[in-house]
Amino acid sequence: MASVNVENLSALSAKHPKPANTFTYGTAGFRMKADLLDSVIFRTGILAALRSKKLDGKVIGCMITASHNPAADNGVKLVDPMGEMLEGSWEAHATALSNAQSDEQLVDYIHSMVSSLKIDLTKPANVIIGRDTRPSGVALVNAFVDGLKVLDAKSTDYGILTTPQLHYITRCLNTVGTPEAYGEPSAEGYYKKLAAAFKTLVDGKTKLSPLILDCANGVGAPKFQEFLPYLGDSLSVKIVNDDTDNASKLNLNSGADYVKTGQRAPVGHKMTSQDRCASFDGDADRIVYYYQDEDGTFKLLDGDKIAGLAAMFIIDLVKAAGIDSIKVGVVQTAYANGASTQYLRNTLNVPVSCVPTGVKHLHHEALKYDVGVYFEANGHGTVVFSPSALKTIYSAEGSSPAQAVAIRSLRALSEVINQTVGDAFSDLLLVETILTQRQWNPKVWDQAYTDLPNRLVKVVVQDRSIFKTVDAERKLVEPAGLQDAIDAIVLKFRDGRSFVRPSGTEDVVRVYAEAATRSETDELAHRIGGLVFDFNSQGSGPRPREFI
């Protein structure tokens, strides 16, 4: 059996010494201050090569980004051959490799992986790389490439990309020349595919007013500028927050996370009641919409609203096409607003699943439906079509002009949606398609249902690991007795709902609450926050004053 060239590994590893920190690969991959990442990304390169060899040389993607985090942060995540997240079982290998204390331990763990996973090191390895606009990205790409060199993996650096573009290209490269071919494996191929489908969907419809698009001063700005010529006059967009020359502005007081968390418009844009607005996050895999009511009130149209809009439209198209055999389902997390779940179940009569936080959980569950719509409330999501649903759609023949139009729209919809991962560009086109076809403004869209007021509170604790959840993170089983205390408080509030879950990345517990009014919601969130802070003296630092 082939083995690792220890001398080569040691020479390369010496360029990327491991700091004292302990690292964990989670849903977002590795993400932290950029100056701590050098050794981590070097070792992730080794893992990517091993993953490709395990899969007989299939292309693995690597995206270097910290998404909506501040500019001083960066991160890395690997993408499996069909554009999906890295297989869950390999996250433990990523963590173990990143924490090996010496070259000897590193070699030993690689050989243990080779043995237990039956990896043939003589197989080829192919990896592609993308990065966002952070200044730290170039050096981290170099560290990753050094990791690939340990196992003689072939690499292709695609330079600056959005995260979804990297996912798309990965899938395209692995399906080229097959019946499942996903498209031309390039940024240009991505633009052409999405633009052609969008033009089909809005052909003959009256154009909407210009969309105001906040790009968080991130990679979405230059890439959407590249995209606009392919869209031509089918969509009018005014881009704001597009300064990628000043790195400190990345995600600063702008972007999807800022808008969603703060329930306010990004700094630098004064809205009017006539504006239709949207925000990307830093790597353009999330999107939220928003508008201002006539009385000046800010109104958010988040991932829950997008999921409801998409499900409604697809259900109507399936019915109009006369192919009712296709069943549509929606996947949410516990953070979904209770009013959205009621709307989906009671008004649209669509099945709704609830899964733990994290796109990998939503994507997996969505695959169980013929057409699975999934969005986190933060605006990260997409729609996936099963192979059988696509076969039905592409083989259907309408018996009337109306059916033919609906079938053509379903086919184009499956092309305009990036089914590999949540994609802000693709989701923007999905929303714009529906609003254009219905000739709706944001207020009409918003009237489908009214969100219950909600609040998210972060409680700093000494040890988040003592908090254990079940039921898609909606109930605590540890510490014992805490869930009963939470339930007792929730019962005192109209339409009250609250859950707590430990963060996956920092020593905090997140408290979500919703109730009938804003004041009741704030009180509920703060009372639960205080309860969590006090329980078994797990709070860290002085008790926040707002925790009543």
Side-chain angles (χ1 to χ4, degrees):
M1 181 180 69
S3 61
V4 176
N5 183 326
V6 177
E7 185 176 340
N8 181 44
L9 181 146
S10 296
L12 291 164
S13 179
K15 297 165 58 179
H16 310 284
K18 181 189 179 302
N21 305 66
T22 299
F23 307 103
T24 303
Y25 191 104
T27 299
F30 292 111
R31 189 178 296 177
M32 63 200 75
K33 295 297 181 186
D35 57 10
L36 294 174
L37 271 169
D38 184 63
S39 72
V40 173
I41 290 190
F42 165 70
R43 295 166 183 216
T44 303
I46 297 173
L47 185 79
L50 288 168
R51 182 68 178 156
S52 181
K53 288 175 182 287
K54 170 62 180 175
L55 299 176
D56 295 324
K58 287 188 180 298
V59 177
I60 298 299
C62 165
M63 186 65 197
I64 294 179
T65 181
S67 187
H68 57 277
N69 283 35
D73 293 353
N74 215 323
V76 60
K77 49 189 172 185
L78 297 184
V79 177
D80 263 358
M82 291 303 287
E84 72 273 46
M85 300 291 190
L86 177 68
E87 183 182 307
S89 64
W90 279 64
E91 293 180 5
H93 298 310
T95 297
L97 286 173
S98 70
N99 291 308
Q101 296 300 310
S102 65
D103 290 349
E104 290 75 16
Q105 286 187 13
L106 191 56
V107 171
D108 286 346
Y109 194 82
I110 293 170
H111 283 154
S112 73
M113 285 182 64
V114 169
S115 175
S116 63
L117 298 172
K118 297 180 171 54
I119 299 173
D120 183 352
L121 290 181
T122 66
K123 290 280 183 74
N126 296 281
V127 181
I128 65 169
I129 310 163
R131 61 181 173 89
D132 67 14
T133 55
R134 296 165 196 268
S136 57
V138 174
L140 294 177
V141 167
N142 292 335
F144 183 80
V145 171
D146 277 350
L148 296 177
K149 290 176 182 176
V150 169
L151 295 172
D152 297 319
K154 176 186 175 184
S155 66
T156 304
D157 185 356
Y158 279 79
I160 292 176
L161 293 173
T162 70
T163 292
Q165 286 176 329
L166 188 278
H167 283 254
Y168 165 88
I169 292 170
T170 302
R171 182 164 178 169
C172 289
L173 288 168
N174 285 298
T175 58
V176 65
T178 73
E180 294 77 36
Y182 198 61
E184 179 187 326
S186 66
E188 184 179 20
Y190 167 91
Y191 297 140
K192 287 179 177 177
K193 178 179 180 178
L194 268 61
F198 180 71
K199 289 176 179 178
T200 296
L201 287 160
V202 299
D203 182 46
K205 304 294 182 181
T206 302
K207 281 179 57 178
L208 301 179
S209 61
L211 171 71
I212 311 298
L213 178 59
D214 157 36
C215 290
N217 299 306
V219 66
K223 291 302 170 182
F224 207 84
Q225 287 283 12
E226 285 181 6
F227 188 27
L228 284 174
Y230 294 89
L231 291 168
D233 63 358
S234 64
L235 181 66
S236 179
V237 178
K238 177 185 177 183
I239 295 176
V240 298
N241 293 322
D242 59 350
D243 185 358
T244 56
D245 293 329
N246 188 341
S248 64
K249 289 187 177 181
L250 176 63
N251 295 314
L252 181 65
N253 298 327
S254 62
D257 189 62
Y258 175 85
V259 172
K260 167 65 178 172
T261 303
Q263 303 276 308
R264 58 186 182 271
V267 172
H269 172 56
K270 293 183 179 180
M271 288 195 299
T272 73
S273 61
Q274 305 301 314
D275 291 338
R276 183 177 79 264
C277 307
S279 286
F280 292 163
D281 65 338
D283 66 336
D285 64 358
R286 296 185 190 181
I287 186 172
V288 295
Y289 271 72
Y290 45 97
Y291 68 102
Q292 181 174 287
D293 215 341
E294 287 82 356
D295 62 2
T297 303
F298 175 86
K299 298 284 189 176
L300 178 68
L301 296 156
D302 62 7
D304 294 340
K305 288 284 188 177
I306 296 172
L309 184 73
M312 174 274 299
F313 185 67
I314 294 169
I315 289 168
D316 286 352
L317 275 183
V318 167
K319 289 179 180 176
I323 45 178
D324 294 347
S325 60
I326 292 177
K327 302 303 178 186
V328 180
V330 178
V331 186
Q332 298 182 319
T333 71
Y335 287 110
N337 194 279
S340 75
T341 308
Q342 292 177 19
Y343 167 72
L344 291 165
R345 286 179 172 157
N346 301 335
T347 303
L348 297 185
N349 296 313
V350 63
V352 180
S353 305
C354 185
V355 298
T357 304
V359 172
K360 62 184 179 183
H361 301 299
L362 289 110
H363 193 91
H364 180 75
E365 184 69 18
L367 293 173
K368 296 179 181 179
Y369 296 106
D370 294 328
V371 179
V373 179
Y374 74 82
F375 277 87
E376 292 184 291
N378 62 25
H380 195 178
T382 189
V383 180
V384 291
F385 291 76
S386 71
S388 62
L390 289 173
K391 184 178 180 180
T392 299
I393 291 168
Y394 276 89
S395 63
E397 296 181 5
S399 59
S400 69
Q403 283 188 341
V405 169
I407 291 167
R408 185 167 64 251
S409 291
L410 279 170
R411 291 172 181 169
L413 204 66
S414 72
E415 294 287 307
V416 85
I417 293 168
N418 185 350
Q419 297 179 52
T420 65
V421 72
D423 181 345
F425 287 20
S426 171
D427 293 337
L428 180 151
L429 296 182
L430 170 63
V431 171
E432 294 298 308
T433 289
I434 301 169
L435 298 183
T436 301
Q437 288 214 10
R438 297 297 171 96
Q439 290 294 292
W440 284 358
N441 60 31
K443 185 173 184 178
V444 175
W445 169 14
D446 199 18
Q447 288 170 345
Y449 65 88
T450 302
D451 275 328
L452 288 167
N454 58 89
R455 183 72 183 266
L456 187 61
V457 170
K458 188 162 65 173
V459 184
V460 181
V461 296
Q462 295 173 12
D463 181 10
R464 73 180 186 271
S465 68
I466 71 166
F467 297 87
K468 309 290 186 184
T469 64
V470 296
D471 189 22
E473 302 179 310
R474 290 177 290 190
K475 289 191 178 298
L476 280 171
V477 289
E478 294 179 21
L482 182 53
Q483 185 62 54
D484 289 339
I486 292 170
D487 292 343
I489 293 175
V490 169
L491 285 173
K492 299 176 182 178
F493 292 82
R494 289 182 299 146
D495 297 326
R497 183 171 77 93
S498 182
F499 67 90
V500 304
R501 58 176 287 271
S503 166
T505 56
E506 52 184 327
D507 275 326
V508 301
V509 169
R510 304 189 191 280
V511 176
Y512 177 87
E514 59 186 42
T517 67
R518 169 54 60 193
S519 61
E520 289 176 291
T521 299
D522 290 345
E523 182 182 351
L524 175 58
H526 289 141
R527 288 184 64 177
I528 300 297
L531 184 67
V532 171
F533 186 92
D534 294 339
F535 208 81
N536 291 342
S537 301
Q538 277 299 311
S540 180
R543 194 177 199 264
R545 285 182 295 176
E546 65 266 28
F547 290 171
I548 301 168

